[in-house]
Amino acid sequence: VEASIPEPQRDAWKKHSAQGFTTKEQFEDETVRHVETTLARSLFNCDELAAYSGASLAFRDRLVIEWNRTQQRQTFADQKRVYYLSLEFLMGRALDNAMLNVGLKDVARAGLKDLGFRIEDVISQEHDAALGNGGLGRLAACFLDSMATLDYPAWGYGLRYRYGIFKQEIVDGYQVEVPDYWLDFNPWEFPRHDITVDIQFYGHVSRHEDEDGKNIAVWEGGEIVDAVAYDVPIPGYQTTTTNNLRLWSSKASKGEFDFQKFNSGEYEASVGDQQRAETISAVLYPNDNLERGKELRLKQQYFWCAASLYDIVRRFKKSKKAWSAFPDMVAIQLNDTHPTLAIVELQRILVDLEGLDWAEAWNIVQNTFSYANHTVMPEALEKWSVPVMQNLLPRHLQIIYEVNSQFLHMVEKQFPKDRDMLRRVSIIEESQPKMVQMAYLATIGSHKVNGVAELHSDLIKTTIFKDFVKIYGPDKFTNVTNGITPRRWLHQANPRLSELIASKLGGYEFLTDLTKLNKLEHFLDDKDFKKEWQEIKYANKVRLAQHIVNTTGVRVNPKALFDIQVKRIHEYKRQQLNILGVIHRYLTIKAMSAEERKKLAPRVSIFGGKAAPGYWMAKTVIHLVCSVGEVVNNDKDVGDLLKVIYIEDYNVSKAEIITPASDISEHISTAGTEASGTSNMKFVLNGGLIIGTCDGANIEITREVGESNIFLFGNLAEDVEDLRHAHTYGNFKIDPDLAKVFDAIKGGKFGDANRFSALCNSIIDQGDYYLVSDDFNSYIKTHTLVDEAYKDQDAWLEKCITSVSRMGFFSSDRCIQEYADMIWNVEPLVPEQRNGK
Ligand code: Z57
């Protein structure tokens, strides 16, 4: 029952209703008030962190007001909503984003200056919200920004990890993981202790007759854990729409913890129970593109899916509509297979708890869900062991078997006598132990399945989902090429470039319609414009050089070509190809005469990214980069011609400094392995060029910017299988230049060669699965083309500006529009104040 204020007293409420600041004076009032009262500090005791806290609380108040209004409006409008289920939301910092989205950053800058602070210093106090590993989590964050900006009634659902992705320290050239406890002071979340859901695990299933004599399944026993909601406001850009991200935190259930054991004197046991319950949302699994099948991970998944579904169903039931209207009111988007249990949970709710017929329920389920696939790599595809699932979720396993049985019957009718087809498409893999294939379950339980770039969407149709295309027809499978939010990745990360563009295009409309950038091509002959563009790039490089010297002690020349590869460390992303290429460059420089060296363009090779803690090969790559840097950076023969840098703890806020500073960035995955990539888009949008393979979204970037504005190299996806086959059957001959690089490593040039032997051998005599040797020559040659091109600064600049002008397609707004129209079938809910404040 909701408690609302009676009619006669509502005027008093309205009179005193919170307003939120708009002027500089009001901002200062609010900031000082929060510092003095909320934080109990004073002007004698206010450091940058306190100023950050005060300013954040002032902005938070503003957000909350619009957030409440948005939620009321959405409830009242009673139209279809989107629920975006993602196990990761890599949000980064919130204050700068809030300032820009509500259009009050200038007010805040002036106010903070009055109070004795520089806005940049205040902003940089904030700890990143790092509830994600990499691309998949950051995509979810960009989507939240676009959904709010486009006024879609949309909620995100995730887990409130106490520890996000670990903080990376580089100690003696090795990665060390440090826990990321980020909740000490987090003004952006609102605990909702009144919104809790009981989540059941383990136990057993029995059958009962209900009042109508119908046989129903009852899931009994086991244990209960509470899910507590924490809400985070998501402000749209230049709109009052402020959506909600609901993160669930696990807690021992009141009934189980407080009373049973505590009162019977089993204090220690009850504390143990409490800790076990809290473990569920304690830590983000730090693997990107790898599934390890741990029971706790499955617990996380069910905990979050069940809490979210309960919440969604509760909201629907308030509308008193018939169940058949559920898919007209609810669209649930699955970010990869991690939330696939939500499909099973909804079927369970409808059949076991609400008493619907199986077929009617399944029809509702299929029309509600859609599934985005983000990888084809076998080691990343989720499979859960049947015994593990039987133990943890006995009723869900029964439902999965029933879904599978009905599905296989359908397939059998369609393809009589094709036994092998039945084996291939079965949700249950007949291995030892049996496994539940989550991608198949997600596909069968959804009305649409999409890949995240054209090549990737084509690949899934011919590989993992080939049979499913035959069964359901091609229309169930579609493509939505990823995008990025231009608010964070241009306006926030690169304010000067954004301002320059606005000055030419006559305003900031490009931030909400990125295709407007194409007008920049009219200014390719504008000398002042080009000069300023170049100055901005230089200033961004100076800023990164400053960060590098502060954190590593190495001085890099900002006039050198900045060559950047920042992303998770993974063999398929081929940082090893990059560093081996760097060694080749180093050997070449060493062999040159002084005269030849003068003709060379100075380079800074910058690496950054985290390795999963258990991924030894990735950690070896980090160590090799650091070891090469140690030698190269201290070699007097080389000087500024080559520097090799490892940036520690790459994350969203560091990406905002790194991305605008690149001349060329590396997106060099083995063709067919990177589903899309999204940093490629960020770098080009910030006026950097790309060296890349024909993989993921690189292909569409090429289509947009033109082949002459990108440096493509390497084998094509269609040839990868044959090349691997050739390696296995003895036709492998290592590239001669690469062989020289290995000789240098083995000769101890970069320290103890034993440390790198597994890495070298994976290429030399373990089949070179990622085709480093096959692509090496093409890679080196293409880098030579990059050197040449960079010498003609005018032509280079023209490539950069032209590329930026053609990046409109890669806005996550376009992407969300496509999901909304083709997959979710939802309409925006536009508030009265769309552009005005
Ligand atoms: C992850 O970050 C991605 C895919 C996964 O299956 C998992 Br698990 C984590 C990434 C892809 O590797 C990128 O290519 C893609 O751009 C990103 O997801 C967003 O779609």
Side-chain angles (χ1 to χ4, degrees):
V1 181
E2 257 137 59
S4 58
I5 302 299
E7 205 55 69
Q9 281 76 38
R10 286 188 186 177
D11 277 347
W13 274 81
K14 282 177 189 155
K15 182 174 152 210
H16 297 289
S17 183
Q19 294 303 314
F21 71 88
T22 42
T23 68
K24 181 182 75 142
E25 281 299 305
Q26 292 167 333
F27 168 73
E28 291 177 38
D29 275 350
E30 293 297 291
T31 301
V32 171
R33 181 175 68 79
H34 277 299
V35 170
E36 291 184 347
T37 63
T38 316
L39 305 168
R41 310 269 289 247
S42 75
L43 74 167
F44 301 110
N45 179 22
C46 185
D47 52 11
E48 281 166 350
L49 183 60
Y52 158 71
S53 308
S56 295
L57 291 164
F59 271 94
R60 180 178 94 153
D61 289 345
R62 257 200 77 99
L63 294 195
V64 170
I65 294 163
E66 295 302 346
W67 187 33
N68 283 332
R69 287 192 187 133
T70 302
Q71 296 316 313
Q72 278 165 30
R73 189 166 58 239
Q74 291 180 2
T75 305
F76 188 72
D78 198 29
Q79 65 181 59
K80 189 170 186 177
R81 292 189 216 207
V82 185
Y83 297 102
Y84 193 83
L85 270 57
S86 179
L87 207 38
E88 305 190 8
F89 288 93
L90 196 43
M91 303 295 285
R93 290 178 177 151
L95 176 59
D96 201 357
N97 183 246
M99 287 173 168
L100 290 167
N101 278 16
V102 304
L104 288 169
K105 188 169 179 181
D106 289 336
V107 166
R109 180 183 289 107
L112 285 167
K113 188 167 173 239
D114 284 348
L115 298 174
F117 294 95
R118 270 190 47 202
I119 194 169
E120 288 76 18
D121 301 332
V122 170
I123 286 169
S124 67
Q125 293 301 310
E126 185 172 352
H127 196 108
D128 278 33
L131 306 183
N133 276 286
L136 174 134
R138 183 55 230 177
L139 185 75
C142 284
F143 281 7
L144 291 181
D145 184 80
S146 284
M147 290 189 293
T149 298
L150 295 172
D151 298 308
Y152 283 107
W155 284 47
Y157 276 107
L159 269 186
R160 178 181 178 267
Y161 304 106
R162 194 143 29 100
Y163 297 94
I165 188 67
F166 62 85
K167 184 176 174 340
Q168 178 193 55
E169 286 179 7
I170 303 292
V171 180
D172 298 332
Y174 288 98
Q175 166 174 300
V176 173
E177 300 97 26
V178 178
D180 165 58
Y181 184 81
W182 67 292
L183 293 170
D184 258 345
F185 175 76
N186 179 9
W188 306 107
E189 65 170 14
F190 289 79
R192 304 280 194 204
H193 294 291
D194 54 328
I195 302 176
T196 66
V197 185
D198 285 357
I199 309 296
Q200 184 177 4
F201 293 106
Y202 307 107
H204 58 271
V205 182
S206 56
R207 293 250 154 210
H208 293 276
E209 301 239 311
D210 69 4
E211 307 93 70
D212 312 328
K214 206 161 127 192
N215 189 274
I216 54 164
V218 179
W219 179 19
E220 299 165 314
E223 63 179 45
I224 304 285
V225 177
D226 275 3
V228 183
Y230 284 72
D231 288 348
V232 182
I234 308 293
Y237 176 71
Q238 284 191 353
T239 172
T240 55
T241 297
T242 306
N243 280 337
N244 194 25
L245 168 60
R246 178 158 285 177
L247 302 175
W248 298 104
S249 184
S250 62
K251 225 178 95 178
S253 125
K254 274 243 161 57
E256 303 227 324
F257 172 68
D258 281 357
F259 306 114
Q260 289 166 14
K261 288 185 179 149
F262 193 78
N263 288 343
S264 62
E266 292 178 67
Y267 181 72
E268 270 169 54
S270 71
V271 172
D273 282 358
Q274 166 146 325
Q275 279 174 345
R276 228 155 32 85
E278 288 178 4
T279 301
I280 294 176
S281 62
V283 54
L284 165 77
Y285 275 89
N287 304 315
D288 191 87
N289 271 291
L290 177 74
E291 260 313 315
R292 306 215 306 172
K294 290 270 188 268
E295 191 195 43
L296 180 60
R297 166 86 166 184
L298 187 61
K299 265 186 136 168
Q300 290 187 331
Q301 293 184 351
Y302 179 64
F303 172 82
W304 147 67
C305 289
S308 306
L309 254 291
Y310 185 90
D311 211 41
I312 293 166
V313 167
R314 172 171 61 189
R315 200 165 297 123
F316 173 77
K317 283 171 91 170
K318 275 197 208 157
S319 76
K320 304 261 164 40
K321 290 186 167 67
W323 283 111
S324 58
F326 193 81
D328 303 327
M329 299 302 290
V330 174
I332 304 179
Q333 177 63 44
L334 308 177
N335 196 24
D336 215 316
T337 54
H338 315 144
T340 304
L341 283 171
I343 289 174
V344 190
E345 178 68 1
L346 181 58
Q347 182 70 4
R348 186 182 76 88
I349 292 171
L350 295 178
V351 173
D352 293 359
L353 307 181
E354 301 294 340
L356 271 70
D357 289 347
W358 180 277
E360 190 190 355
W362 187 244
N363 189 41
I364 291 169
V365 169
Q366 283 185 315
N367 285 318
T368 299
F369 286 95
S370 50
Y371 153 53
N373 172 283
H374 296 261
T375 186
V376 289
M377 289 191 302
E379 67 271 28
L381 295 176
E382 282 192 294
K383 290 179 183 183
W384 289 104
S385 131
V386 165
V388 168
M389 203 178 278
Q390 163 69 46
N391 182 44
L392 188 70
L393 300 166
R395 177 58 184 148
H396 293 78
L397 188 66
Q398 286 181 347
I399 293 173
I400 291 169
Y401 268 86
E402 184 57 31
V403 167
N404 195 39
S405 146
Q406 297 201 10
F407 170 69
L408 293 180
H409 266 106
M410 179 190 92
V411 176
E412 201 175 16
K413 275 196 210 139
Q414 209 181 341
F415 300 92
K417 292 186 222 129
D418 194 343
R419 299 289 309 163
D420 204 58
M421 162 82 98
L422 294 180
R423 182 192 57 76
R424 290 196 308 266
V425 300
S426 174
I427 298 172
I428 307 298
E429 181 189 83
E430 295 293 326
S431 46
Q432 198 49 258
K434 292 185 177 139
M435 300 294 249
V436 182
Q437 312 223 54
M438 302 306 267
Y440 296 177
L441 178 55
T443 299
I444 295 164
S446 298
H447 63 283
K448 280 274 182 193
V449 177
N450 75 282
V452 290
E454 270 173 20
L455 173 71
H456 170 67
S457 298
D458 288 345
L459 275 175
I460 61 177
K461 283 196 271 184
T462 53
T463 59
I464 49 175
F465 300 135
K466 191 175 177 197
D467 293 318
F468 292 87
V469 173
K470 286 191 209 144
I471 293 163
Y472 289 110
D475 291 351
K476 180 159 180 167
F477 298 85
T478 186
N479 171 249
V480 183
T481 299
N482 282 169
I484 56 170
T485 170
R487 273 76 64 180
R488 183 174 293 258
W489 297 112
L490 179 53
H491 195 43
Q492 181 179 321
N494 205 341
R496 279 187 67 189
L497 189 62
S498 183
E499 195 184 334
L500 175 63
I501 292 171
S503 76
K504 289 294 158 189
L505 302 188
Y508 285 97
E509 275 83 62
F510 64 95
L511 290 175
T512 44
D513 177 3
L514 203 63
T515 60
K516 289 225 153 67
L517 287 177
N518 63 21
K519 301 250 158 41
L520 281 177
E521 282 193 62
H522 301 157
F523 300 95
L524 282 170
D525 298 320
D526 182 333
K527 285 219 173 67
D528 293 338
F529 169 66
K530 286 161 73 178
K531 189 161 162 270
E532 202 174 333
W533 185 292
Q534 223 160 4
E535 278 171 14
I536 291 168
K537 177 59 77 180
Y538 185 73
N540 289 333
K541 290 168 74 178
V542 169
R543 178 169 71 153
L544 179 57
Q546 192 62 50
H547 175 79
I548 289 171
V549 75
N550 290 347
T551 52
T552 69
V554 180
R555 248 171 228 295
V556 300
N557 178 2
K559 295 220 165 73
L561 191 163
F562 278 22
D563 170 348
I564 305 183
Q565 188 176 20
V566 284
K567 49 181 89 232
R568 288 297 292 254
I569 312 298
H570 207 298
E571 285 166 284
Y572 87 80
K573 295 178 190 281
R574 296 202 297 190
Q575 284 92 354
Q576 70 277 36
L577 174 59
N578 186 346
I579 191 60
L580 295 168
V582 168
I583 296 174
H584 177 267
R585 175 173 289 260
Y586 173 63
L587 299 177
T588 308
I589 294 171
K590 292 291 278 184
M592 278 178 167
S593 67
E595 276 311 301
E596 286 173 306
R597 282 181 193 158
K598 273 187 199 145
K599 286 185 229 148
L600 213 66
R603 273 231 187 191
V604 184
S605 267
I606 299 167
F607 294 77
K610 294 171 187 179
Y615 192 170
W616 291 107
M617 196 63 92
K619 289 184 151 179
T620 303
V621 171
I622 294 177
H623 187 57
L624 181 58
V625 174
C626 294
S627 304
V628 171
E630 202 55 46
V631 172
V632 171
N633 300 343
N634 295 305
D635 190 326
K636 294 272 164 351
D637 287 352
V638 174
D640 268 359
L641 288 182
L642 183 60
K643 287 279 180 273
V644 181
I645 303 296
Y646 206 94
I647 296 182
E648 189 176 72
D649 197 38
Y650 175 62
N651 61 10
V652 172
S653 57
K654 290 205 178 77
E656 289 166 20
I657 300 170
I658 295 167
T659 316
S662 115
D663 293 307
I664 196 138
S665 61
E666 310 237 356
H667 308 274
I668 58 176
S669 48
T670 309
T673 61
E674 188 72 276
S676 162
T678 43
S679 75
N680 42 7
M681 303 165 190
K682 294 166 197 169
F683 279 106
V684 179
L685 186 60
N686 280 279
L689 302 183
I690 281 182
I691 179 165
T693 45
C694 295
D695 199 18
N698 290 355
I699 295 170
E700 286 146 272
I701 292 175
T702 307
R703 182 190 71 204
E704 296 294 308
V705 305
E707 270 182 65
S708 56
N709 295 317
I710 188 166
F711 297 92
L712 290 178
F713 74 96
N715 284 287
L716 302 179
E718 63 208 50
D719 299 320
V720 166
E721 205 183 297
D722 286 348
L723 287 164
R724 282 179 179 158
H725 198 258
H727 295 178
T728 334
Y729 293 93
N731 287 323
F732 184 71
K733 231 180 152 300
I734 197 152
D735 177 272
D737 287 315
L738 181 58
K740 288 182 203 150
V741 170
F742 284 132
D743 288 344
I745 296 173
K746 286 178 180 165
K749 262 211 161 63
F750 308 103
D752 184 356
N754 288 321
R755 293 174 192 161
F756 309 118
S757 55
L759 173 55
C760 299
N761 289 340
S762 73
I763 297 165
I764 298 166
D765 52 28
Q766 303 283 303
D768 189 16
Y769 188 75
Y770 296 101
L771 309 184
V772 171
S773 177
D774 296 273
D775 283 347
F776 195 72
N777 185 260
S778 163
Y779 180 61
I780 297 298
K781 279 191 179 141
T782 307
H783 263 302
T784 312
L785 296 179
V786 171
D787 286 325
E788 286 308 310
Y790 196 67
K791 283 179 190 160
D792 186 347
Q793 281 287 301
D794 253 4
W796 184 276
L797 187 61
E798 190 163 322
K799 286 180 195 293
C800 296
I801 297 173
T802 306
S803 298
V804 171
S805 77
R806 299 175 183 175
M807 285 301 285
F809 180 74
F810 299 99
S811 169
S812 47
D813 296 345
R814 184 269 312 151
C815 196
I816 287 301
Q817 204 82 250
E818 289 182 7
Y819 277 99
D821 296 344
M822 300 180 355
I823 298 178
W824 302 333
N825 195 23
V826 289
E827 297 293 330
L829 177 59
V830 183
E832 274 167 46
Q833 286 171 285
R834 194 22 260 198
N835 286 308
K837 283 291 133 201

